[in-house]
Amino acid sequence: MKDFNLSIYNTLSRKKEKYEPIIPGHTGLYVCGPTVYGDAHLGHARPAITFDLLYRYLKHSGFKVRYVRNITDVGHLVNDADDGEDKIAKKARLEELEPMQVVQYYTNRYHKNMEQLNVLNPDIEPHASGHIIEQIEMIKQILDAGLAYEVNGSVYFDVKKYNEKHHYGKLSGRVLDDLLNTTRTLDGQEEKRNPVDFALWKKAGKEHIMRWPSPWSDGFPGWHLECSVMSTKYLGEKFDIHGGGMDLMFPHHECEIAQNVAATGNEPVKYWMHNNMITINGQKMGKSLGNFINLDEFFKGEHKLLDRPYTAMNIRFFILMAHYRSPLDFSNEALQAAEKGMKKLLNAAESLEKLQANGDASTEDITAWKNKCYEAINDDLNTPILIAHLFDAVRMINSISEGKIKISKSDLELLRITFNAFVFDVLGLEKELSDSKGDQVVDGLMELILEMRMNARKNKDWGTSDAIRDKLNELSIKVKDGKEGSSWSIE
């Protein structure tokens, strides 16, 4: 294992705990994936990137990881409760398509966006609709345990009875008596014993086009059941890490715990991790507020709130600049600041490849710097501190290039290996190649300008050399001179 001492914030215990896998050297990771009835947006990008970071770091540290990320394609109703229309069925009805056409179309688009963001594919990506038989079997187990009841073809989980021996609400810190006093009975849900009870199986109305046969009725599974079933099937009754957005903590993940305990007798997850939400100019994203921006709109700049297009790596780095448990507010200014920082890292990586050792002993303690990087990422994936240490390396790389500090051959290799490992392997950044004709013209012009300046310096025409540098600086283009030549970057 590589310098591995990860502590993670466990939502269940509400404190940081040293990560210890159930099976040494192996990790079972389950993350709630999207409900595929629309284009992926910034809110989808954050959990995908957060748990991609965790997946990458576990693999970097020598763990064998089985990463499962589900696709929700049935049972998620429009108001996230137990009534209303299925989100995918509603989309299919409006667009006059088969529901699975909707699923396939938006799943393909989601995969494309994840590839653009350099999010690694999970090892297993199960669909809820592909596990109906298993969901029916788990309902039978819960019924046999006496913790569910059937009414008119629907099956509900008996939360009050479960709470007699277990704590329903332990993940989110809720108390059942408070829930019973504050949860109102919705229209069409009078058949429940208590308004907090949730559906395991719903009898389908005549208009409901997504339905399957079951011992109770032709119907469909409840939204919460799918993750209990698929996590158990692919990771076992007990596994290491379950992740998702903070909005899923209650009721979705709370219901998962109850279902698993009722069906198997086991607490399913050792570590629960939740990423915080993304807001836009201080407001929660929402279509009704007009601030709902999908990822393709970011990449094309086609939204009234966007000053210009933003690249996928720009979005990725923007998300990584904040700790995953902290709220993150979008603004054009924040994205543009992230872009400048990202370019500094990528330009430094390019310069680092060209550097040569320039001393027998190093001016900087590279081993101490490396240890700080690992301390940051081991501290509950503290990417803001890690990135700050990487910017320290940028300063060192520039100073070495300019001959201001010395570095030995062994330390240069350690700097190169560590810097590249964190920038590319762990943070998952990549150099974005552009086939834009405009970008090619700019690169060509800058190459010509730097060549003219280099000739002026060779001829000791310092006035021309300085004038070119100063004029570029006025345009926010910084020129750096080193033994290997000159480079430029936009500040």
Side-chain angles (χ1 to χ4, degrees), residues 345-374:
L345 288 182
L346 295 177
N347 288 337
E350 193 172 317
S351 298
L352 185 55
E353 293 304 310
K354 302 174 185 176
L355 285 185
Q356 300 292 326
N358 60 5
D360 296 328
S362 300
T363 311
E364 301 279 348
D365 189 340
I366 304 301
T367 299
W369 167 80
K370 170 193 169 184
N371 291 339
K372 287 179 181 179
C373 290
Y374 276 102

Side-chain angles (χ1 to χ4, degrees), residues 76-81 83-87 90:
H76 196 170
L77 306 184
V78 291
N79 64 359
D80 293 347
D83 67 334
E85 194 171 3
D86 186 291
K87 292 183 176 184
K90 179 179 179 180

Side-chain angles (χ1 to χ4, degrees), residues 215-409:
W216 314 286
S217 65
D218 277 6
F220 54 94
W223 171 38
H224 310 304
L225 189 62
E226 62 180 82
C227 288
S228 285
V229 164
M230 291 186 285
S231 62
T232 302
K233 180 178 174 97
Y234 296 109
L235 298 176
E237 292 183 2
K238 295 182 179 181
F239 61 96
D240 296 291
I241 302 172
H242 194 317
M246 190 174 288
D247 57 325
L248 297 177
M249 190 187 303
F250 184 86
H252 186 55
H253 290 161
E254 204 73 77
C255 295
E256 278 190 59
I257 293 175
Q259 290 165 162
N260 282 66
V261 171
T264 70
N266 292 316
E267 289 275 354
V269 180
K270 192 172 182 182
Y271 305 96
W272 286 89
M273 294 177 66
H274 294 89
N275 63 274
N276 213 318
M277 300 295 101
I278 292 182
T279 57
I280 295 184
N281 296 324
Q283 288 185 308
K284 183 180 178 181
M285 285 188 299
K287 290 182 179 179
S288 61
L289 297 173
N291 65 359
F292 187 88
I293 310 175
N294 67 45
L295 291 174
D296 283 340
E297 288 172 331
F298 272 104
F299 302 155
K300 297 175 183 177
E302 295 176 349
H303 193 281
K304 63 182 180 181
L305 293 178
L306 300 176
D307 288 348
R308 59 177 174 80
Y310 296 98
T311 67
M313 284 302 99
N314 192 167
I315 298 292
R316 185 179 180 101
F317 190 65
F318 164 69
I319 288 173
L320 291 170
M321 284 183 69
H323 191 274
Y324 76 90
R325 287 192 291 110
S326 300
L328 178 59
D329 190 56
F330 156 81
S331 67
N332 284 280
E333 294 76 15
L335 268 177
Q336 289 162 23
E339 181 181 52
K340 290 180 180 179
M342 180 188 69
K343 286 183 176 179
K344 286 182 180 179
L345 288 182
L346 295 177
N347 288 337
E350 193 172 317
S351 298
L352 185 55
E353 293 304 310
K354 302 174 185 176
L355 285 185
Q356 300 292 326
N358 60 5
D360 296 328
S362 300
T363 311
E364 301 279 348
D365 189 340
I366 304 301
T367 299
W369 167 80
K370 170 193 169 184
N371 291 339
K372 287 179 181 179
C373 290
Y374 276 102
E375 287 169 7
I377 196 70
N378 284 334
D379 183 15
D380 193 27
L381 305 177
N382 199 327
T383 52
I385 301 300
L386 170 61
I387 290 169
H389 292 321
L390 292 175
F391 281 129
D392 287 339
V394 172
R395 174 189 56 79
M396 287 190 284
I397 291 165
N398 292 336
S399 294
I400 296 166
S401 178
E402 294 164 4
K404 294 179 180 178
I405 65 173
K406 301 293 184 182
I407 191 165
S408 67
K409 184 176 181 181

Side-chain angles (χ1 to χ4, degrees), residues 15 42 47 78 82 99 135 165 183 194-195 218 237 242 249 252 320 331 335 361 395 415 422 435 453:
K15 63 182 181 180
L42 203 58
V78 291
D82 292 330
Q135 292 183 72
K165 294 184 178 180
T183 304
N194 290 289
D218 277 6
E237 292 183 2
H242 194 317
M249 190 187 303
H252 186 55
L320 291 170
S331 67
L335 268 177
R395 174 189 56 79
L415 175 61
F422 277 109
D435 58 0
R453 183 169 176 271

